[in-house]
């Protein structure tokens, strides 16, 4: 299935991300994109289907790196 991430930005930002499976393979990439301030919802892997399991999303937002765990059922 696909997975949805929601977040709110206080200012316009440059964002990119990688979705990584549990063995370290990058399964999806979003190159740097400018997005506006406010609440955003992203559907990851809308065009393809992730196998059920645990994934990690590695974000870079205005040069700051962070990650989140993503569970696909």
């Amino acid at each position: 299935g696909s997975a949805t991430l929601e977040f709110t930005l206080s200012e316009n930002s440059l964002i990119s991300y990688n979705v990584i499976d549990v063995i370290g393979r990058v399964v999806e990439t979003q190159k740097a994109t400018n997005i506006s301030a406010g609440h955003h919802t992203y559907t990851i892997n809308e065009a393809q289907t992730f196998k059920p399991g645990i994934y990690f999303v590695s974000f870079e937002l205005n040069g700051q790196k962070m990650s989140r765990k993503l569970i696909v059922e």
Side-chain angles (χ1 to χ4, degrees):
S2 61
T4 302
L5 293 173
E6 294 186 46
F7 55 92
T8 301
L9 299 172
S10 60
E11 60 185 19
N12 293 352
S13 301
L14 186 63
I15 187 171
S16 61
Y17 68 80
N18 289 317
V19 180
I20 303 161
D21 67 14
V22 293
I23 60 172
R25 292 180 299 190
V26 175
V27 295
E28 183 165 318
T29 297
Q30 171 64 51
K31 294 184 179 190
T33 304
N34 282 308
I35 56 175
S36 60
H39 185 78
H40 296 272
T41 301
Y42 274 91
T43 300
I44 294 181
N45 210 7
E46 198 168 19
Q48 301 176 19
T49 302
F50 279 154
K51 293 180 182 177
I54 297 173
Y55 298 84
F56 298 92
V57 183
S58 174
F59 284 97
E60 186 167 337
L61 182 62
N62 288 338
Q64 181 181 6
K65 294 182 181 183
M66 62 192 91
S67 61
R68 283 178 81 179
K69 182 166 67 172
L70 185 67
I71 299 173
V72 177
E73 298 179 348

